[in-house]
Amino acid sequence: MRVLSDPLGRTFPYLRLSLTEACNFRCGYCLPDGYVADGRPRFLARDEIVRLVTAFATVGMRKLRLTGGEPTLRKDLTAIIGDVAQVAGIAKLALTTNGCRLPDHVAGWHAAGLDALNVSVDSLDPARFHAITGHDRLDEILRGIDHALALGFTAVKLNVVLLRGLTDDALPQWLDYIAERPVSVRFIELMRTGDNVAYFERHHVRATTLERQLEDAGWLRLVRAPDAGPSIDYMHPSYAGRIGIIAPYSRDFCAGCNRLRVTARGDLRLCLFGESGVPLRPLLQQDDDRDELVALISTQLGLKASGHGLHQGNSGITPHLASIGG
Ligand code: SAM
Ligand code: SF4
């Protein structure tokens, strides 16, 4: 078995694959004016997706996350889940979604082979939820999450972007929410992208105060597993759920990076905030190109930078995370 690694010794068992750039929400930090199609984009088709995932799996990718844009807008999502769940070597198949389609579809996705679910829920307060996302759909999303929990997913995680004045005072509400629910609520520091500079200046806040609040309330920081993602996790014996903190502006964030990204148009992106993408699509048209595809992926990994340039205000070519699959 070949395992992908770069010159810094990092391995990449984790691929995030964007299925679409389109989204029906208007999150203030991502697509505040809603999605506007750039021409008539043709996102990866099912057969291209299967070839891509198979090639990554042959070089050691074990965890696949489907994301976007909003991946649940794809009418063929259940079929895609069914396809990639069959690919040999994929041990964990996850989806990141804004949750709006959960009530009608989550049982079908689970039956098709989805193991893990990340749902973005920036606020439990309907007015704030609307202010952040432009939508009044909090109730149905929360119902969908409870439905998912009842189905027995291996992991249900909720993503909350930490926003000054909008979400940074909500820890007590979240603690009530996870008292009895075995979900992990992950607070993500707002990242600066090409399009959100003014929003970032208004709302960016570091997670340090939140970390202090958790530690003061008796939450215990868990030791990170060697292959853990970017989240620093906390547990408390009186709560069924956990809290995680994702702090891209912290030191050493990139040292643990074990992920690669492929955009909905089939470009390999080595870093969320990198300067370039490598088109894989020409090699996704026929099964016979698999060796060439694997060779291209391996070569590109050697070029993965040691860290992002966010501290220097450099967000690479990423206008917003919907364009790359955040
Ligand atoms: N539409 C789906 C959703 O919102 O879950 C999947 C794509 S979205 C780009 C993936 C995650 O990135 C979401 O949890 C979202 O809140 C987060 N996100 C988007 N823009 C961000 C930013 N500038 N900083 C931090 N997180 C961001
Ligand atoms: Fe859409 Fe997700 Fe971006 Fe919100 S964060 S606008 S739901 S892609």
Side-chain angles (χ1 to χ4, degrees), residues 16 22-23 27 29-30 66-71 96-99 118-122 159-161 188-193 196 248 273 320-323 325-326:
R16 298 172 74 101
C23 186
C27 300
Y29 46 79
C30 184
L66 304 175
T67 180
E70 179 45 43
T96 301
T97 171
N98 64 23
N118 281 41
V119 189
S120 299
V121 188
D122 284 329
N159 292 353
V160 181
V161 180
I188 308 173
E189 283 181 358
L190 177 63
M191 288 177 261
R192 177 183 159 131
T193 61
N196 76 5
F273 297 100
H320 44 71
L321 295 201
S323 68

